[in-house]
Amino acid sequence: MANEPSTTLTDLSQHGCFGGSVGIYSHPSEQCQCTMKFAVFVPPQAQIKPVPVLYYLSGLTCTEENFITKAGAQRYAAQHGLMLVAPDTSPRGEDVPDEEGWDFGSGAGFYVDATENPWTQNYRMYSYVTEELPTLIHQNFAADPARQGIFGHSMGGHGALVCGLRNPEKYQSISAFAPIAAPSRCVWGQKALGKYLGPDESTWAAYDASELVRQKAQTNRHILIDQGLADPFLEQQQLKPEVFKTTCEEVGQPLTLRMQSGYDHGYYFIATFMEDHVRHHAEVLCG
Ligand SMILES: N[C@@H](CCC(=O)N[C@@H](CSC=O)C(=O)NCC(=O)O)C(=O)O
Protein backbone atom coordinates (compact mmCIF):
# COMPACT_ATOMS: atom_id res chain seq x y z
CA MET A 1 0.00 0.00 0.00
CA ALA A 2 2.96 2.35 0.48
CA ASN A 3 3.92 4.86 -2.23
CA GLU A 4 7.19 4.54 -4.20
CA PRO A 5 9.14 2.34 -1.76
CA SER A 6 12.41 3.98 -0.73
CA THR A 7 15.64 1.98 -0.75
CA THR A 8 17.27 4.04 1.97
CA LEU A 9 15.76 2.41 5.09
CA THR A 10 17.77 -0.21 7.00
CA ASP A 11 15.58 -2.62 8.95
CA LEU A 12 17.30 -3.12 12.33
CA SER A 13 14.68 -5.29 14.06
CA GLN A 14 11.08 -6.51 13.75
CA HIS A 15 8.75 -7.75 16.49
CA GLY A 16 5.15 -8.95 16.36
CA CYS A 17 2.96 -6.73 18.58
CA PHE A 18 -0.84 -6.64 19.12
CA GLY A 19 -1.55 -8.18 15.73
CA GLY A 20 0.78 -5.72 14.00
CA SER A 21 4.52 -5.13 14.27
CA VAL A 22 7.15 -2.93 15.87
CA GLY A 23 10.15 -2.14 13.69
CA ILE A 24 13.32 -0.16 14.35
CA TYR A 25 14.89 1.46 11.30
CA SER A 26 17.87 3.61 10.41
CA HIS A 27 18.50 5.82 7.39
CA PRO A 28 20.88 8.50 6.16
CA SER A 29 19.26 11.84 7.00
CA GLU A 30 19.58 14.79 4.63
CA GLN A 31 18.46 17.24 7.29
CA CYS A 32 20.69 15.97 10.10
CA GLN A 33 23.64 14.87 7.93
CA CYS A 34 24.04 11.63 9.90
CA THR A 35 22.37 8.25 10.35
CA MET A 36 19.06 8.65 12.15
CA LYS A 37 16.90 5.95 13.78
CA PHE A 38 13.17 5.70 14.44
CA ALA A 39 10.65 3.18 15.75
CA VAL A 40 7.35 2.35 14.02
CA PHE A 41 4.32 0.44 15.21
CA VAL A 42 2.28 -0.75 12.23
CA PRO A 43 -1.24 -1.75 13.35
CA PRO A 44 -3.01 -4.75 11.81
CA GLN A 45 -5.43 -2.45 9.93
CA ALA A 46 -2.54 -1.29 7.71
CA GLN A 47 -2.62 -4.65 5.92
CA ILE A 48 -5.93 -3.56 4.38
CA LYS A 49 -5.60 0.19 3.75
CA PRO A 50 -3.43 3.21 4.66
CA VAL A 51 -3.88 4.26 8.28
CA PRO A 52 -3.44 7.59 10.13
CA VAL A 53 -0.06 8.27 11.72
CA LEU A 54 0.58 9.49 15.26
CA TYR A 55 4.09 10.87 15.80
CA TYR A 56 5.58 10.78 19.32
CA LEU A 57 8.51 13.02 20.30
CA SER A 58 10.54 11.85 23.28
CA GLY A 59 12.29 13.83 26.00
CA LEU A 60 15.82 14.61 27.09
CA THR A 61 18.26 11.65 27.05
CA CYS A 62 15.84 9.44 25.07
CA THR A 63 16.43 7.51 21.89
CA GLU A 64 13.91 6.01 19.45
CA GLU A 65 13.46 3.12 21.93
CA ASN A 66 12.15 4.69 25.18
CA PHE A 67 8.61 5.31 24.00
CA ILE A 68 8.13 2.11 22.05
CA THR A 69 9.39 -0.09 24.92
CA LYS A 70 7.94 1.78 27.94
CA ALA A 71 4.81 3.79 27.12
CA GLY A 72 2.42 0.93 26.31
CA ALA A 73 0.81 2.78 23.41
CA GLN A 74 0.70 -0.11 20.94
CA ARG A 75 -2.36 -1.82 22.51
CA TYR A 76 -4.46 1.34 22.05
CA ALA A 77 -3.02 2.17 18.63
CA ALA A 78 -3.97 -1.35 17.47
CA GLN A 79 -7.51 -0.87 18.79
CA HIS A 80 -7.94 2.37 16.84
CA GLY A 81 -5.89 1.46 13.76
CA LEU A 82 -3.20 4.12 14.25
CA MET A 83 0.42 3.87 13.15
CA LEU A 84 2.92 5.13 15.75
CA VAL A 85 6.25 6.71 14.78
CA ALA A 86 8.91 7.67 17.35
CA PRO A 87 12.15 9.28 16.16
CA ASP A 88 15.40 9.72 18.07
CA THR A 89 15.77 13.02 19.93
CA SER A 90 18.85 14.42 18.18
CA PRO A 91 21.43 13.77 15.51
CA ARG A 92 24.25 11.51 16.73
CA GLY A 93 27.61 10.23 15.58
CA GLU A 94 31.36 10.75 15.64
CA ASP A 95 31.11 13.72 13.28
CA VAL A 96 28.16 15.34 15.08
CA PRO A 97 29.07 18.04 17.62
CA ASP A 98 28.10 17.39 21.22
CA GLU A 99 28.72 18.82 24.69
CA GLU A 100 29.11 17.51 28.23
CA GLY A 101 25.80 17.17 30.04
CA TRP A 102 22.45 15.56 29.30
CA ASP A 103 20.28 18.63 28.64
CA PHE A 104 22.00 19.85 25.46
CA GLY A 105 23.49 18.25 22.33
CA SER A 106 23.11 14.48 21.87
CA GLY A 107 19.73 13.36 23.15
CA ALA A 108 18.62 16.98 23.43
CA GLY A 109 17.91 18.37 19.95
CA PHE A 110 14.93 20.39 21.25
CA TYR A 111 13.15 19.98 17.89
CA VAL A 112 14.63 23.20 16.48
CA ASP A 113 16.57 24.03 13.31
CA ALA A 114 19.80 25.44 14.78
CA THR A 115 21.13 28.67 13.32
CA GLU A 116 24.33 28.91 15.39
CA ASN A 117 27.63 27.15 14.77
CA PRO A 118 28.70 24.44 15.33
CA TRP A 119 25.13 23.10 15.64
CA THR A 120 23.58 24.37 12.42
CA GLN A 121 24.75 21.60 10.08
CA ASN A 122 23.27 18.64 12.01
CA TYR A 123 20.80 19.94 14.58
CA ARG A 124 17.77 20.33 12.30
CA MET A 125 15.25 18.28 14.24
CA TYR A 126 12.32 20.59 13.41
CA SER A 127 12.68 20.02 9.67
CA TYR A 128 13.55 16.37 10.24
CA VAL A 129 10.35 15.74 12.21
CA THR A 130 7.97 17.86 10.14
CA GLU A 131 9.33 17.17 6.63
CA GLU A 132 11.92 14.44 6.13
CA LEU A 133 10.49 11.80 8.46
CA PRO A 134 6.84 12.05 7.27
CA THR A 135 8.03 11.76 3.66
CA LEU A 136 10.00 8.62 4.52
CA ILE A 137 7.06 7.14 6.39
CA HIS A 138 4.66 7.70 3.51
CA GLN A 139 7.14 6.24 1.02
CA ASN A 140 7.73 3.08 3.01
CA PHE A 141 4.60 2.28 5.04
CA ALA A 142 0.83 2.10 4.53
CA ALA A 143 0.35 5.56 6.03
CA ASP A 144 -2.29 8.15 5.12
CA PRO A 145 -0.48 11.51 4.72
CA ALA A 146 -3.74 13.44 5.11
CA ARG A 147 -4.29 12.16 8.67
CA GLN A 148 -1.47 12.88 11.11
CA GLY A 149 -1.30 13.73 14.80
CA ILE A 150 1.60 14.58 17.10
CA PHE A 151 2.28 14.13 20.80
CA GLY A 152 5.27 13.91 23.08
CA HIS A 153 6.80 14.12 26.54
CA SER A 154 8.74 16.90 28.26
CA MET A 155 11.22 18.20 25.64
CA GLY A 156 9.15 16.12 23.20
CA GLY A 157 5.93 17.66 24.55
CA HIS A 158 7.44 21.05 23.71
CA GLY A 159 8.31 19.68 20.25
CA ALA A 160 4.81 18.34 19.71
CA LEU A 161 3.14 21.63 20.69
CA VAL A 162 5.53 23.61 18.47
CA CYS A 163 5.32 21.31 15.42
CA GLY A 164 1.54 21.00 15.79
CA LEU A 165 0.83 24.71 16.28
CA ARG A 166 3.12 25.73 13.41
CA ASN A 167 1.74 23.15 10.97
CA PRO A 168 -2.04 22.82 11.36
CA GLU A 169 -2.31 21.48 7.80
CA LYS A 170 0.10 18.62 8.61
CA TYR A 171 -1.14 17.65 12.08
CA GLN A 172 -4.84 17.54 12.90
CA SER A 173 -4.41 16.61 16.58
CA ILE A 174 -1.97 17.56 19.37
CA SER A 175 -1.36 16.38 22.92
CA ALA A 176 1.50 16.34 25.44
CA PHE A 177 2.70 14.77 28.67
CA ALA A 178 4.47 17.20 31.02
CA PRO A 179 5.70 19.45 28.20
CA ILE A 180 8.34 22.15 28.53
CA ALA A 181 5.53 24.58 27.81
CA ALA A 182 7.38 27.93 27.99
CA PRO A 183 11.01 27.18 27.07
CA SER A 184 12.03 30.85 26.87
CA ARG A 185 11.28 31.11 30.59
CA CYS A 186 13.03 28.01 32.00
CA VAL A 187 16.65 26.98 32.49
CA TRP A 188 16.54 24.01 30.07
CA GLY A 189 14.95 26.09 27.33
CA GLN A 190 17.09 29.19 27.81
CA LYS A 191 20.24 27.07 27.55
CA ALA A 192 19.09 25.14 24.47
CA LEU A 193 17.47 28.01 22.56
CA GLY A 194 20.37 30.33 23.43
CA LYS A 195 22.94 27.90 22.04
CA TYR A 196 21.00 26.55 19.04
CA LEU A 197 19.43 29.87 17.98
CA GLY A 198 21.70 32.51 19.51
CA PRO A 199 21.18 35.25 22.09
CA ASP A 200 18.50 37.21 20.18
CA GLU A 201 15.44 36.03 22.12
CA SER A 202 13.07 37.28 19.42
CA THR A 203 14.10 34.22 17.38
CA TRP A 204 13.08 31.88 20.20
CA ALA A 205 9.37 32.66 19.92
CA ALA A 206 8.97 30.37 16.89
CA TYR A 207 9.93 27.47 19.18
CA ASP A 208 8.04 28.51 22.33
CA ALA A 209 4.50 27.11 22.52
CA SER A 210 3.37 29.80 24.97
CA GLU A 211 4.47 32.50 22.52
CA LEU A 212 3.42 30.67 19.34
CA VAL A 213 -0.13 30.05 20.46
CA ARG A 214 -0.71 33.83 20.51
CA GLN A 215 -0.38 33.94 16.71
CA LYS A 216 -1.24 30.34 15.85
CA ALA A 217 -4.18 29.40 18.06
CA GLN A 218 -6.30 26.63 16.53
CA THR A 219 -9.65 27.56 17.98
CA ASN A 220 -11.41 24.64 16.28
CA ARG A 221 -9.01 22.07 17.80
CA HIS A 222 -8.63 20.85 21.37
CA ILE A 223 -5.16 20.31 22.90
CA LEU A 224 -4.81 17.73 25.71
CA ILE A 225 -2.02 18.00 28.30
CA ASP A 226 -1.42 15.78 31.34
CA GLN A 227 0.98 16.95 34.06
CA GLY A 228 1.98 15.06 37.21
CA LEU A 229 1.82 17.06 40.44
CA ALA A 230 4.70 15.02 41.93
CA ASP A 231 6.95 15.84 38.97
CA PRO A 232 10.22 17.30 40.29
CA PHE A 233 10.73 19.28 37.08
CA LEU A 234 7.39 21.04 37.67
CA GLU A 235 8.63 22.27 41.05
CA GLN A 236 11.95 23.29 39.47
CA GLN A 237 9.99 25.57 37.09
CA GLN A 238 11.22 23.77 33.94
CA LEU A 239 7.73 23.00 32.59
CA LYS A 240 5.41 25.95 33.36
CA PRO A 241 2.09 24.55 32.08
CA GLU A 242 0.34 27.47 33.81
CA VAL A 243 1.97 29.92 31.38
CA PHE A 244 0.68 27.97 28.37
CA LYS A 245 -2.76 27.66 29.97
CA THR A 246 -3.02 31.41 30.61
CA THR A 247 -2.07 32.23 27.03
CA CYS A 248 -4.54 29.65 25.68
CA GLU A 249 -7.29 31.28 27.73
CA GLU A 250 -6.31 34.74 26.44
CA VAL A 251 -6.43 33.70 22.77
CA GLY A 252 -9.30 31.19 22.87
CA GLN A 253 -7.23 28.06 22.28
CA PRO A 254 -9.26 25.09 23.59
CA LEU A 255 -7.06 23.24 26.11
CA THR A 256 -7.64 20.50 28.66
CA LEU A 257 -4.78 20.64 31.19
CA ARG A 258 -5.11 17.85 33.74
CA MET A 259 -2.96 18.15 36.88
CA GLN A 260 -2.59 14.55 38.07
CA SER A 261 -2.01 13.99 41.78
CA GLY A 262 0.63 11.38 42.70
CA TYR A 263 2.42 11.17 39.35
CA ASP A 264 6.02 12.11 38.61
CA HIS A 265 7.81 12.77 35.31
CA GLY A 266 8.51 9.19 34.25
CA TYR A 267 7.07 6.56 31.97
CA TYR A 268 4.79 5.10 34.70
CA PHE A 269 2.94 8.44 34.50
CA ILE A 270 2.94 8.40 30.70
CA ALA A 271 1.71 4.79 30.54
CA THR A 272 -1.10 5.58 32.99
CA PHE A 273 -2.65 8.23 30.73
CA MET A 274 -1.61 6.83 27.35
CA GLU A 275 -5.04 5.35 26.59
CA ASP A 276 -6.65 8.79 26.94
CA HIS A 277 -4.07 10.41 24.67
CA VAL A 278 -4.37 7.81 21.91
CA ARG A 279 -8.17 8.16 22.10
CA HIS A 280 -7.84 11.97 21.90
CA HIS A 281 -5.98 11.58 18.60
CA ALA A 282 -8.13 8.73 17.28
CA GLU A 283 -11.31 10.77 17.72
CA VAL A 284 -9.90 13.26 15.22
CA LEU A 285 -7.84 11.03 12.92
CA CYS A 286 -10.01 7.91 12.75
CA GLY A 287 -13.46 9.51 12.92
N1 LIG B 1 19.24 11.93 33.32
C1 LIG B 1 18.46 12.94 33.93
C2 LIG B 1 16.98 12.71 33.77
C3 LIG B 1 16.56 12.72 32.35
C4 LIG B 1 15.07 12.51 32.22
O1 LIG B 1 14.33 12.49 33.17
N2 LIG B 1 14.64 12.39 30.98
C5 LIG B 1 13.24 12.23 30.74
C6 LIG B 1 12.77 13.36 29.89
S1 LIG B 1 13.08 14.90 30.72
C7 LIG B 1 12.62 16.10 29.61
O2 LIG B 1 12.72 16.09 28.46
C8 LIG B 1 12.99 10.88 30.06
O3 LIG B 1 12.05 10.71 29.31
N3 LIG B 1 13.86 9.91 30.37
C9 LIG B 1 13.84 8.60 29.74
C10 LIG B 1 13.06 7.55 30.46
O4 LIG B 1 12.95 6.44 29.91
O5 LIG B 1 12.53 7.79 31.56
C11 LIG B 1 18.83 13.07 35.38
O6 LIG B 1 19.82 12.50 35.72
O7 LIG B 1 18.09 13.76 36.11
Side-chain angles (χ1 to χ4, degrees):
M1 304 295 295
N3 307 321
E4 300 171 34
S6 160
T7 55
T8 59
L9 284 191
T10 301
D11 184 344
L12 299 175
S13 68
Q14 288 291 328
H15 314 273
C17 188
F18 292 102
S21 62
V22 166
I24 310 289
Y25 299 88
S26 69
H27 69 100
S29 167
E30 277 183 31
Q31 289 291 346
C32 299
Q33 293 288 300
C34 66
T35 299
M36 292 293 288
K37 292 185 188 174
F38 61 87
V40 179
F41 170 68
V42 179
Q45 293 87 342
Q47 290 166 17
I48 298 165
K49 62 178 184 178
V51 296
V53 188
L54 181 52
Y55 290 88
Y56 180 91
L57 305 183
S58 295
L60 292 164
T61 72
C62 289
T63 69
E64 71 288 348
E65 292 212 30
N66 296 68
F67 164 77
I68 212 74
T69 56
K70 294 170 86 170
Q74 293 93 321
R75 175 189 293 275
Y76 311 117
Q79 287 169 0
H80 293 288
L82 279 170
M83 187 175 293
L84 299 169
V85 177
D88 199 353
T89 54
S90 76
R92 296 178 198 265
E94 276 182 15
D95 299 329
V96 176
D98 190 14
E99 248 184 25
E100 282 282 314
W102 55 272
D103 57 1
F104 184 79
S106 288
F110 264 85
Y111 305 101
V112 304
D113 286 349
T115 53
E116 293 290 296
N117 284 323
W119 317 108
T120 183
Q121 188 176 351
N122 305 98
Y123 284 77
R124 296 185 53 79
M125 289 299 291
Y126 176 75
S127 291
Y128 177 72
V129 164
T130 59
E131 292 172 21
E132 184 172 4
L133 184 59
T135 300
L136 262 185
I137 294 299
H138 300 136
Q139 285 175 339
N140 289 279
F141 300 90
D144 180 352
R147 292 182 291 163
Q148 299 190 135
I150 192 160
F151 67 155
H153 169 230
S154 197
M155 176 185 72
H158 139 76
L161 293 173
V162 166
C163 294
L165 286 169
R166 283 176 63 165
N167 298 280
E169 74 294 346
K170 287 186 180 171
Y171 306 104
Q172 289 87 53
S173 54
I174 307 172
S175 75
F177 299 92
I180 302 172
S184 305
R185 303 191 200 190
C186 74
V187 172
W188 280 341
Q190 287 167 349
K191 177 177 177 180
L193 299 180
K195 283 171 172 278
Y196 289 134
L197 304 178
D200 177 1
E201 294 188 21
S202 67
T203 65
W204 300 2
Y207 295 105
D208 183 321
S210 295
E211 297 294 330
L212 264 179
V213 75
R214 287 190 190 284
Q215 283 86 42
K216 305 241 176 215
Q218 299 175 14
T219 52
N220 58 339
R221 292 179 185 170
H222 209 109
I223 296 174
L224 171 63
I225 295 179
D226 274 301
Q227 171 62 60
L229 281 166
D231 181 336
F233 298 127
L234 180 67
E235 196 180 327
Q236 291 170 27
Q237 301 292 322
Q238 297 282 22
L239 306 174
K240 295 190 174 288
E242 71 286 354
V243 174
F244 186 66
K245 182 170 189 257
T246 299
T247 316
C248 286
E249 286 168 355
E250 286 170 8
V251 300
Q253 170 64 58
L255 168 72
T256 297
L257 170 60
R258 305 191 303 189
M259 304 302 284
Q260 305 285 8
S261 183
Y263 292 93
D264 63 19
H265 198 67
Y267 268 83
Y268 297 118
F269 155 66
I270 294 170
T272 301
F273 300 105
M274 182 54 69
E275 182 175 14
D276 294 352
H277 282 248
V278 175
R279 189 189 312 112
H280 168 81
H281 291 274
E283 281 172 0
V284 176
L285 302 175
C286 306

